[in-house]
Amino acid sequence: MVDSSFATAAKKGNARRLFLLFVCCFSLFQMTKGATPKKAVTVPFSKNYMPTWSFDHIKYFNGGNEIQLHLDNYTGTGFHSKESYLFGYFHMHIKLVAGDSAGTVTAFYLSSNGNEHDEVDFEFLGNRTGEPYILQTNVFTGGVGNREQRIYLWFDPTANFHTYSVLWNSYLITFFVDDIPIRIFKNTENLGVKFASEQPMKLYSSLWNADDWATRGGREKTDWTKAPFVASYKGFHIDACDATLDDEYCETEGKKWWNQKEYQDLDAAQYRRLMWVHRRFTIYNYCTDKARFPTRPVECKANKDA
């Protein structure tokens, strides 16, 4: 028979171990959760956006909470944010062009104005039926780009809506697909690389014909018998600092959630996911293109780009 005092102590010890395990796991969960961008709310298109061109090629549904962009052999279309922003969280739910989309590009990006502009790009390059979509990302700072990376998406982006987002603060720019980080671009001004920290940017999206380059370098042309090509959007909330009101305030204030410590870098779990994307789905990375860049760009090491 087990001594009752020993059994009681053992139970207390097990309870304590379980409690410590719970605290440890909860703390880890909180750290991981803390670095995930805040969930956006649902607002209608007209609250934050307006058409850019070809207004008749934008279709509205569900009281303006969902829209479609249409591309035909006459024109594409697009929209942009009403205001300009300096730092924040920008996201969109997009369902890409289904079927044979070769030659088309669906773009979702931030951009400032001028020759030395800053720009943060999602570009979805269409493909032939049954072949995977290619997502190209790029970053321009001070008018300098040529920082393309391309990945295959690991799901069918035409079957359902998926979330594509950018978290931008003075420390880094992070690209997310369904909350999975697929790319980071850190502030490496200490290494002589300009960073997007001074120029307010608007948010843009468009659907257009780019069959001179988009699919296999322009060898695959758009099949206009498949038109109209349709991309669907919802989730038009913008959680960012409105520089239209006061861009100096946006540069200096530190109270917004995206400026807090947990968003100044990825956490360990996010880095593991980032490396998973790099290993499994990357098909082009400017950092490893020695033909274009015999000397590796200095920001690549900081950004953990192999």
Side-chain angles (χ1 to χ4, degrees):
M1 177 178 286
V2 179
D3 182 80
S4 59
S5 60
F6 178 81
T8 300
K11 289 179 180 179
K12 289 182 178 179
N14 288 335
R16 178 175 175 78
R17 282 192 290 273
L18 287 172
F19 175 75
L20 291 174
L21 179 61
F22 170 79
V23 170
C24 178
C25 292
F26 181 77
S27 299
L28 181 60
F29 172 75
Q30 287 294 91
M31 287 195 305
T32 302
K33 184 179 180 182
T36 300
K38 293 192 173 182
K39 186 176 181 180
V41 299
T42 299
V43 298
F45 172 82
S46 60
K47 179 176 176 61
N48 291 315
Y49 293 96
M50 60 187 297
T52 306
W53 86 98
S54 298
F55 293 15
D56 63 332
H57 279 55
I58 300 181
K59 312 299 180 184
Y60 299 83
F61 303 90
N62 189 24
N65 286 306
E66 182 178 336
I67 68 166
Q68 290 179 349
L69 303 189
H70 286 233
L71 166 67
D72 55 29
N73 60 353
Y74 174 69
T75 186
T77 189
F79 60 88
H80 66 271
S81 62
K82 295 178 179 179
E83 312 300 345
S84 297
Y85 303 93
L86 191 63
F87 306 133
Y89 179 56
F90 308 86
H91 89 114
M92 194 69 70
H93 304 315
I94 306 175
K95 183 162 60 175
L96 296 175
V97 176
D100 190 335
S101 58
T104 70
V105 171
T106 306
F108 172 58
Y109 62 101
L110 290 156
S111 183
S112 63
N113 297 316
N115 293 330
E116 296 187 3
H117 75 295
D118 299 327
E119 186 171 321
V120 180
D121 297 334
F122 279 102
E123 294 177 308
F124 303 93
L125 312 184
N127 220 331
R128 292 299 180 203
T129 302
E131 297 180 356
Y133 257 87
I134 294 173
L135 169 56
Q136 175 171 283
T137 58
N138 201 357
V139 178
F140 287 74
T141 57
V144 177
N146 296 323
R147 300 185 177 107
E148 300 93 344
Q149 293 185 9
R150 291 185 177 188
I151 66 170
Y152 283 129
L153 293 173
W154 52 92
F155 51 84
D156 179 359
T158 72
N160 296 291
F161 284 94
H162 291 268
T163 305
Y164 307 93
S165 51
V166 173
L167 180 65
W168 170 36
N169 57 37
S170 58
Y171 298 90
L172 80 169
I173 296 165
T174 307
F175 296 77
F176 293 93
V177 174
D178 291 336
D179 291 333
I180 295 174
I182 65 163
R183 181 177 183 178
I184 58 173
F185 186 83
K186 289 189 175 183
N187 185 338
T188 53
E189 290 181 317
N190 61 317
L191 301 177
V193 180
K194 289 186 177 181
F195 187 75
S197 58
E198 298 181 357
Q199 301 186 80
M201 295 194 277
K202 285 182 179 290
L203 192 60
Y204 298 84
S205 191
S206 58
L207 174 59
W208 52 292
N209 179 45
D211 66 2
D212 57 332
W213 67 272
T215 309
R216 294 184 179 83
R219 294 189 296 276
E220 299 281 351
K221 300 300 182 182
T222 304
D223 182 355
W224 293 112
T225 66
K226 302 296 194 299
F229 302 99
V230 178
S232 301
Y233 295 74
K234 61 183 181 179
F236 301 107
H237 179 64
I238 297 176
D239 196 355
C241 191
D242 186 350
T244 309
L245 301 176
D246 185 351
D247 59 355
E248 184 176 347
Y249 169 79
C250 291
E251 291 177 2
T252 58
E253 63 89 27
K255 296 181 180 179
K256 298 295 186 180
W257 65 265
W258 57 79
N259 288 328
Q260 302 306 306
K261 184 176 181 181
E262 60 264 40
Y263 299 101
Q264 294 173 12
D265 201 352
L266 303 185
D267 62 25
Q270 287 176 318
Y271 267 117
R272 286 194 295 270
R273 286 187 158 191
L274 178 66
M275 294 301 105
W276 174 75
V277 172
H278 283 187
R279 289 192 304 267
R280 296 281 302 273
F281 303 106
T282 297
I283 56 176
Y284 177 80
N285 187 345
Y286 80 106
C287 288
T288 59
D289 190 339
K290 294 183 179 179
R292 289 179 65 197
F293 303 100
T295 301
R296 191 184 186 201
V298 295
E299 71 272 12
C300 291
K301 184 176 180 180
N303 296 332
K304 297 187 183 298
D305 290 321

